[in-house]
Amino acid sequence: MSRSKHRTFGNIVGHVADVKDIRSLSSWTAEQFDLGLNWDLIKQIRDYWQGKLILKGIMEVEDALLALEYGADAIVVSNHGDRQLDGALASIEALPAIVDAVGDRMEVWFDGGIRGGQDVLRAWALGAKGTLIGRAYIYGLGAYGQAGVKRSLEIIHKELDVSMAFCGHTQLRHVGKDILVAHTCPLAQPSN
């Protein structure tokens, strides 16, 4: 985008049918949101697609249970970076209840605010079996291209290892809520 003539969305304008300038980009973007998305459509997709089905944007226990009922293999607890609904609940706050409801029957992944290894560790401790990392690697990409992406992931991995060591763990599978300090993370319980 930085190389495009007028700093417009050069990766879309001219590459997507009927998107020729910033005005048509705005119209195209608005059309990308399907307000008709519902659970019956998820069932149709599941009936058609026998591969892995992962639903992103789950923020309520009720929706997690419906995702399980409609055949999702995994869900991603995500408020989409809080860009879609200003003031939405933070993903990390929604995670524990969702894991408690479905975590033993489907994989629960986490997206939102992962900037380093400690964030990955917190999400894991609250029950996530994976985390999506967007912004951190994009920063690396912007700074140093492919080498920057590699380096940003190496940094997160190292921070995760060090944070686990400080918590007395060498294997992620042994990490649980007990590493969390009360009142510093959602649903971390005070020690007795």
Side-chain angles (χ1 to χ4, degrees):
M1 285 175 45
S2 67
R3 294 179 185 159
S4 64
K5 187 175 181 181
H6 296 286
R7 298 195 193 264
T8 186
F9 290 89
N11 57 332
I12 298 175
V13 174
H15 300 284
V16 175
D18 299 325
V19 177
K20 305 203 179 349
D21 55 28
I22 200 73
R23 186 172 291 119
S24 58
L25 171 65
S26 177
S27 298
W28 175 81
T29 302
E31 293 169 3
Q32 299 312 299
F33 295 96
D34 184 355
L35 301 179
L37 187 62
N38 60 52
W39 290 103
D40 289 334
L41 182 56
I42 299 299
K43 181 181 181 334
Q44 290 174 21
I45 293 168
R46 173 78 288 168
D47 291 344
Y48 175 78
W49 174 253
Q50 298 308 308
K52 296 290 184 184
L53 179 61
I54 302 166
L55 302 179
K56 182 180 178 198
I58 303 297
M59 289 291 292
E60 300 285 338
V61 168
E62 179 183 359
D63 287 335
L65 292 168
L66 285 166
L68 182 65
E69 178 184 331
Y70 282 85
D73 297 292
I75 57 174
V76 181
V77 176
S78 174
N79 68 6
H80 305 293
D82 200 22
R83 291 182 309 273
Q84 308 308 322
L85 184 60
D86 188 27
L89 183 68
S91 300
I92 198 76
E93 293 175 310
L95 179 63
I98 290 171
V99 168
D100 288 346
V102 300
D104 60 338
R105 295 177 283 167
M106 73 185 325
E107 282 194 27
V108 178
W109 299 353
F110 177 79
D111 176 47
I114 300 292
R115 302 292 183 267
Q118 287 185 13
D119 298 324
V120 172
L121 188 60
R122 268 187 220 99
W124 181 275
L126 290 171
K129 295 303 176 204
T131 59
L132 282 65
I133 302 169
R135 197 165 295 171
Y137 84 82
I138 292 296
Y139 289 161
L141 179 67
Y144 297 107
Q146 183 177 349
V149 172
K150 183 175 187 259
R151 183 68 182 128
S152 68
L153 295 176
E154 289 169 349
I155 290 169
I156 291 171
H157 187 265
K158 179 69 172 177
E159 288 175 358
L160 176 59
D161 282 347
V162 169
S163 298
M164 283 190 338
F166 284 152
C167 294
H169 293 284
T170 58
Q171 297 182 8
L172 194 55
R173 69 174 182 248
H174 295 144
V175 172
K177 285 183 184 179
D178 61 312
I179 69 160
L180 302 172
V181 176
H183 311 295
T184 63
C185 194
L187 297 185
Q189 299 301 315
S191 301
N192 293 334

